């Protein structure tokens, strides 16, 4: 397919610890089309941020990627040399990190931080040229160009977040990873920042991966959702399908637990706690908390099954044969 | 009916005396609230960062003193309490804070955080009695004591830790629990169980709950009444269903319109303009004037009083001032905007 931007295949991330190997990401496979917005959701510890960092190849040792490939426009990011990968960051694939507002250097003016970015990618031309580019980037995210002369502490949280978005798109990357870009912001500012991110992405024709656990934000922003549990992608599908007819029992509980303005005094949580990634349960990692568990769920890890060309689920409730043989 | 906790037009102004100039910052102004014994409330206090909700929490808990007005507990000013009264206040008014990680000493087992208040208030007759009370409280918040006691904080999830804090508050037989963003740092899937525990405390034990939050959805789900704070003042108050389903103050309308609804077919504040400015600098008038799409001349000149919309509902906005409402259509209003 020509419109495929990113193909992640069987990605694993391991953290060796004195107690054993923590398999933070355990065989994640997904593809991204051009201009698409994918949401990665899951509880803390489900591996969504680790997946995002792996895509940027920003995992610090001792983390390792023992298997997998991440092919961006025909190039396997895992096969690149460290220097080639450094060049690819921001230019090909960029990231708005979690708590991005704290990622700005507090003692440098915004302008200098942009200049640093351009210089690191060999794009320094004349000073006036750079200023014009910074001004247009700031305007693109709804900020006054005078922000370039300010220090981070002079900006509000929402403004800093916009600066980070401007930096993430400065080199016109193909993929933008936004890891909980608004978790520290108030709702009104959150909406403004997400609208900004969406507008900039459309102008650029880039693909966005939104990492987070706010299902409301996902419903409002993404086209497809991937649900992660214990380092695995348990269900992937179009956003409407996931919200209307979730198939995996975990997704079903996740959707049912979202507080809405439809019901009062009725709280549905997900019983139990997320499994340890050091000693994950055998079989399906969710079987311990699952209310629709079958006898073999504790023994066999379910494969991903396509329920429709765009909707994948890894659960024994949906056996392979059924979808080929039985009439609907 | 005797009044338990009563805040009479309290306010807090933080003053800093710099060398060259003094600055003062009004964190909270003219807030009143009354909780009667025998008539427990389930009230939400909602607002964004900087709205004064944490200042209000700290005032109601007696951690800081108001600069205006007074807070009375069982008829006595918090500042004028004797030792016994203070002790009673500390026992009957409990707090649950935002961060379930910071409140624990990582070197002690979680038993410590439960045993200390029992010892402090002399509530347990013996070690066995203390153990029994701790187990009963944990069960009331849906935790299994054998899986909880004897563990260190790092061995428990954020949701479990937060429920232990609720159990701790519960053991002291409080009349009032003030919960400041109790679920904002807990995983979405665990939020429901914590909110459910809080609701149980109110319904089964008649404890008044003040739920301080920025999240209107959970406020709507859990509470009966709500106060919407904006930069230290009440913008709107009333029955939570009325306020959220039919917001009157333009600020409440903006907040409600900004909730990301978990429904891909219902677009985010589709009917609402996004406010242009993100900074604010109203000098003498309504604090929301610079972001308000319906701003009028009088909004810049004076602060709107709380206007009663119904016996239980109020909004601090000139749009609902009867003298004016007669001849102010939205179009007429907008030509005055800057």
């Amino acid at each position: 397919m020509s419109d495929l931007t990113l193909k992640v295949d069987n990605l694993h991330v391991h953290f060796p610890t004195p107690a054993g190997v923590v398999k933070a990401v355990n065989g994640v496979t997904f593809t991204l089309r051009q201009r698409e917005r994918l949401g990665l959701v899951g509880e803390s510890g489900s591996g969504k941020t680790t997946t995002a960092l792996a895509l940027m190849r920003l995992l610090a040792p001792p983390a390792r990627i023992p298997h997998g490939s991440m092919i961006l426009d025909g190039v396997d990011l895992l096969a690149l040399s460290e220097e080639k990968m450094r060049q690819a960051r921001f230019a090909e694939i960029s990231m708005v990190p979690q708590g991005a507002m704290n990622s700005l250097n507090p003692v440098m003016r915004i302008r200098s931080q942009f200049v640093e970015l351009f210089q690191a990618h060999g794009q320094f031309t004349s000073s006036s040229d750079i200023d014009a580019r910074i001004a247009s980037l700031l305007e693109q995210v709804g900020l006054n160009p005078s922000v370039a002369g300010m220090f981070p502490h002079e900006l509000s949280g929402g403004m800093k977040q916009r600066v980070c978005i401007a930096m993430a798109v400065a080199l016109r990357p193909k993929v933008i990873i936004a890891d909980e870009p608004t978790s520290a912001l108030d709702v009104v500012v959150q909406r403004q920042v997400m609208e900004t991110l969406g507008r900039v992405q459309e102008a650029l024709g880039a693909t966005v991966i939104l990492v987070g656990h706010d299902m409301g934000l996902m419903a409002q922003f993404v086209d497809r959702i991937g649900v992660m549990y214990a380092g695995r992608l348990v269900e992937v599908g179009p956003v409407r399908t996931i919200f209307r007819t979730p198939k995996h029992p975990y997704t079903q509980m996740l959707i049912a637990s979202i507080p809405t303005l439809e019901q009062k005094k009725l709280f549905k949580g997900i019983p139990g706690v997320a499994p340890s990634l050091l000693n994950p349960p055998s079989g399906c990692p969710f079987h311990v908390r699952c209310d629709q568990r079958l006898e073999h769920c504790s023994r066999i890890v379910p494969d991903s099954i396509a329920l429709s060309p765009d909707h994948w689920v890894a659960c024994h409730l949906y056996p392979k044969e059924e979808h080929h043989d039985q009439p609907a | 009916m005797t009044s338990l906790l009563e805040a009479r037009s309290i306010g807090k102004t933080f003053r800093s005396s710099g060398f060259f100039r003094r600055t003062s910052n009004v964190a909270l102004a003219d807030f009143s609230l009354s909780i009667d014994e025998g008539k427990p409330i389930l009230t939400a206090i909602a607002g964004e960062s900087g709205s004064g909700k944490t200042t209000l929490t700290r005032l109601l808990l007696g951690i800081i003193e108001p600069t205006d007005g007074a807070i009375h507990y069982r008829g006595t000013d918090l500042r004028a309490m004797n030792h016994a009264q203070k002790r009673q206040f500390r026992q009957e008014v409990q707090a649950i804070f935002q961060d379930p990680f910071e409140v624990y000493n990582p070197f002690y087992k979680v038993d410590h955080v439960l045993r200390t208040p029992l010892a402090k208030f002399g509530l347990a007759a013996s070690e066995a009695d203390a153990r029994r009370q701790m187990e009963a409280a944990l069960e009331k918040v849906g935790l299994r004591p054998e899986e909880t006691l004897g563990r260190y904080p790092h061995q428990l999830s954020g949701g479990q830790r937060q429920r232990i804090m609720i159990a701790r508050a519960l053991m002291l037989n409080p009349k009032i629990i003030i919960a400041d963003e109790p679920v904002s740092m807990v995983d979405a899937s665990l939020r429901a169980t914590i909110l459910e525990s809080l609701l149980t405390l109110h319904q089964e034990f008649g404890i008044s709950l003040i739920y301080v939050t920025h999240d209107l959805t959970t406020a709507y789900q859990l509470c009966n009444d709500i106060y919407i704070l904006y930069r230290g003042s009440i913008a709107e108050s009333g029955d939570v269903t009325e306020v959220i389903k039919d917001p009157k103050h333009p600020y409440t309308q903006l907040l409600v319109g900004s909730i990301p609804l978990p429904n891909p077919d219902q677009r985010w504040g589709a009917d609402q303009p996004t406010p242009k400015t993100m900074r604010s600098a109203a000098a003498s008038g309504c604090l929301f004037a610079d972001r308000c799409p319906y701003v009028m001349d009088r909004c810049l000149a004076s602060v709107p009083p709380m206007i009663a919309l119904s016996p239980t509902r109020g909004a601090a906005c000139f749009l609902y001032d009867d003298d004016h409402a007669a001849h102010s259509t939205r179009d007429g209003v907008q030509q005055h905007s800057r």
Side-chain angles (χ1 to χ4, degrees):
Chain A
M1 253 203 274
S2 60
D3 65 343
L4 221 56
T5 308
L6 180 69
K7 187 171 176 359
V8 176
D9 195 26
N10 198 22
L11 181 69
H12 289 254
V13 179
H14 290 179
F15 288 89
T17 69
V21 175
V22 172
K23 292 172 183 154
V25 176
N26 203 343
V28 163
T29 298
F30 64 90
T31 52
L32 272 175
R33 298 177 200 103
Q34 215 176 358
R35 295 174 181 270
E36 190 180 38
R37 297 172 177 181
L38 175 77
L40 276 187
V41 299
E43 295 170 274
S44 5
S46 61
K48 50 192 196 309
T49 296
T50 309
T51 303
L53 289 173
L55 287 174
M56 291 292 287
R57 273 186 55 193
L58 281 176
L59 287 164
R64 323 185 278 122
I65 303 179
H67 316 285
S69 65
M70 311 184 300
I71 296 168
L72 176 63
D73 265 358
V75 179
D76 189 350
L77 295 178
L78 286 176
L80 292 181
S81 68
E82 202 50 59
E83 174 57 21
K84 286 274 184 220
M85 186 62 213
R86 186 191 68 73
Q87 287 171 10
R89 274 182 215 126
F90 278 78
E92 300 287 328
I93 180 166
S94 74
M95 188 169 191
V96 182
Q98 202 166 7
M101 42 217 233
N102 301 325
S103 69
L104 294 171
N105 187 331
V107 295
M108 276 169 83
R109 290 181 199 276
I110 302 299
R111 181 184 183 277
S112 317
Q113 308 199 30
F114 272 100
V115 170
E116 202 177 53
L117 172 68
F118 291 133
Q119 280 177 334
H121 289 272
Q123 296 202 1
F124 192 84
T125 46
S126 71
S127 181
S128 60
D129 189 36
I130 286 275
D131 282 336
R133 273 181 80 178
I134 295 171
S136 93
L137 283 165
L138 291 173
E139 270 172 3
Q140 216 181 346
V141 295
L143 291 173
N144 192 309
S146 66
V147 164
M150 293 186 179
F151 287 101
H153 74 266
E154 295 176 89
L155 307 174
S156 71
M159 293 165 92
K160 280 188 261 190
Q161 207 73 1
R162 284 161 191 244
V163 169
C164 290
I165 294 175
M167 284 187 166
V169 300
L171 302 178
R172 311 185 67 83
K174 298 182 184 107
V175 179
I176 305 164
I177 302 169
D179 188 0
E180 307 220 6
T182 58
S183 59
L185 303 176
D186 287 320
V187 279
V188 178
V189 184
Q190 165 173 288
R191 180 176 138 206
Q192 294 168 338
V193 168
M194 291 312 293
E195 282 169 355
T196 304
L197 180 62
R199 212 176 45 242
V200 172
Q201 175 224 352
E202 273 161 21
L204 208 60
T207 295
V208 166
I209 302 177
L210 179 66
V211 178
H213 61 250
D214 184 339
M215 293 300 280
L217 206 56
M218 293 293 164
Q220 295 297 324
F221 191 79
V222 303
D223 306 316
R224 275 200 304 154
I225 288 187
V227 181
M228 290 199 69
Y229 188 79
R232 294 171 195 270
L233 213 43
V234 296
E235 185 165 2
V236 187
V239 64
R240 283 186 173 78
T241 312
I242 295 286
F243 273 89
R244 280 194 205 133
T245 51
K247 292 296 182 187
H248 196 285
Y250 177 64
T251 319
Q252 290 170 354
M253 287 187 187
L254 193 67
I255 298 289
S257 75
I258 305 169
T260 65
L261 294 179
E262 313 299 322
Q263 62 198 14
K264 276 189 73 114
K265 317 237 154 138
L266 191 69
F267 300 105
K268 285 192 222 123
I270 302 179
V273 289
S276 148
L277 294 172
L278 193 57
N279 298 305
S282 59
C284 169
F286 190 60
H287 81 265
V288 200
R289 297 165 82 183
C290 184
D291 56 358
Q292 302 169 53
R293 153 176 76 233
L294 302 172
E295 174 259 326
H296 55 291
C297 289
S298 57
R299 286 184 284 112
I300 305 161
V301 179
D303 286 331
S304 250
I305 309 289
L307 298 177
S308 73
D310 216 16
H311 189 187
W312 292 76
V313 65
C315 176
H316 288 308
L317 290 174
Y318 309 95
K320 273 177 194 163
E321 302 79 33
E322 207 175 287
H323 298 279
H324 291 300
D325 305 339
Q326 287 186 1
Chain B
M1 215 179 308
T2 52
S3 170
L4 212 51
L5 182 72
E6 195 184 4
R8 296 178 193 154
S9 355
I10 53 168
K12 179 77 185 173
T13 305
F14 290 101
R15 292 191 175 83
S16 64
S17 46
F19 193 73
F20 293 108
R21 60 179 184 145
R22 287 172 182 211
T23 55
S24 66
N25 177 20
V26 181
L28 188 74
D30 198 20
F31 186 92
S32 298
L33 174 88
S34 173
I35 301 176
D36 289 331
E37 185 151 32
K39 204 176 147 201
I41 60 163
L42 198 53
T43 295
I45 295 182
E48 298 176 281
S49 24
S51 63
K53 53 189 197 302
T54 297
T55 301
L56 178 60
T57 310
R58 288 156 56 92
L59 285 167
L60 293 177
L61 288 170
I63 298 170
I64 53 174
E65 290 182 358
T67 42
D68 300 294
I71 301 169
H72 290 240
Y73 189 72
R74 292 189 182 273
T76 315
D77 192 320
L78 291 192
R79 286 169 289 199
M81 281 184 163
N82 63 30
H83 187 73
Q85 287 169 322
K86 228 172 223 167
R87 203 180 157 84
Q88 186 183 24
F89 173 75
R90 288 267 174 264
Q91 185 181 340
E92 292 184 344
V93 180
Q94 286 297 318
I96 293 163
F97 291 107
Q98 179 172 14
D99 193 335
F101 301 90
E102 241 177 25
V103 292
Y104 290 91
N105 184 330
F107 293 108
Y108 288 117
K109 291 178 180 169
V110 295
D111 309 33
H112 182 77
V113 82
L114 294 169
R115 192 170 278 121
T116 307
L118 287 178
K120 189 94 187 155
F121 290 102
L123 296 176
S126 64
E127 175 55 34
D129 184 35
R131 177 93 193 175
R132 197 181 44 71
Q133 287 192 38
M134 283 156 57
E135 288 177 354
L138 288 171
E139 277 166 7
K140 280 180 198 156
V141 297
L143 290 173
R144 274 184 287 246
E146 66 276 13
E147 287 176 9
T148 319
L149 294 174
R151 297 226 181 176
Y152 285 97
H154 72 265
Q155 295 173 304
L156 300 169
S157 73
Q160 287 173 316
R161 279 186 260 198
Q162 197 62 303
R163 275 190 280 172
I164 293 172
M165 292 321 290
I166 300 175
R168 185 199 61 86
L170 187 62
M171 280 195 311
L172 300 173
N173 287 319
K175 299 285 183 196
I176 300 168
I177 290 181
I178 301 175
D180 187 0
E181 299 274 19
V183 294
S184 70
M185 293 186 66
V186 175
D187 249 320
S189 56
L190 297 170
R191 273 178 203 176
T193 51
I194 290 169
L195 294 173
E196 199 172 14
S197 305
L198 290 172
L199 183 62
T200 309
L201 299 191
H202 172 77
Q203 289 176 337
E204 286 184 21
F205 306 102
I207 298 169
S208 284
L209 182 69
I210 297 177
Y211 177 59
V212 182
T213 186
H214 70 280
D215 180 3
L216 292 182
T217 315
T218 52
Y220 170 82
Q221 285 203 311
L222 180 67
C223 295
N224 296 330
D225 317 292
I226 192 165
Y227 289 88
I228 306 276
L229 290 182
Y230 182 68
R231 295 174 65 196
S233 300
I234 302 172
E236 185 163 358
S237 67
D239 177 86
V240 72
T241 310
E242 288 177 32
V243 170
I244 292 185
K245 293 284 181 180
D246 180 23
K248 293 295 185 194
H249 195 288
Y251 175 62
T252 320
Q253 292 170 357
L254 174 66
L255 271 187
V256 173
S258 300
I259 301 174
L261 295 172
N263 179 351
D265 294 319
Q266 222 173 327
R267 275 302 159 193
W268 213 340
D271 50 341
Q272 258 198 339
T274 316
K276 292 283 174 280
T277 46
M278 295 178 70
R279 289 276 181 106
S280 40
S284 55
C286 173
L287 293 166
F288 189 60
D290 58 340
R291 293 169 77 185
C292 184
Y294 312 122
V295 65
M296 301 175 276
D297 284 343
R298 60 190 300 206
C299 300
L300 303 174
S302 58
V303 178
M306 183 57 77
I307 293 162
L309 304 169
S310 79
T312 56
R313 180 96 188 267
C317 179
F318 284 126
L319 287 176
Y320 305 100
D321 195 352
D322 278 341
D323 316 337
H324 194 81
H327 51 91
S328 86
T329 61
R330 281 181 180 180
D331 293 340
V333 165
Q334 270 172 338
Q335 3 171 328
H336 295 290
S337 63
R338 288 168 297 171

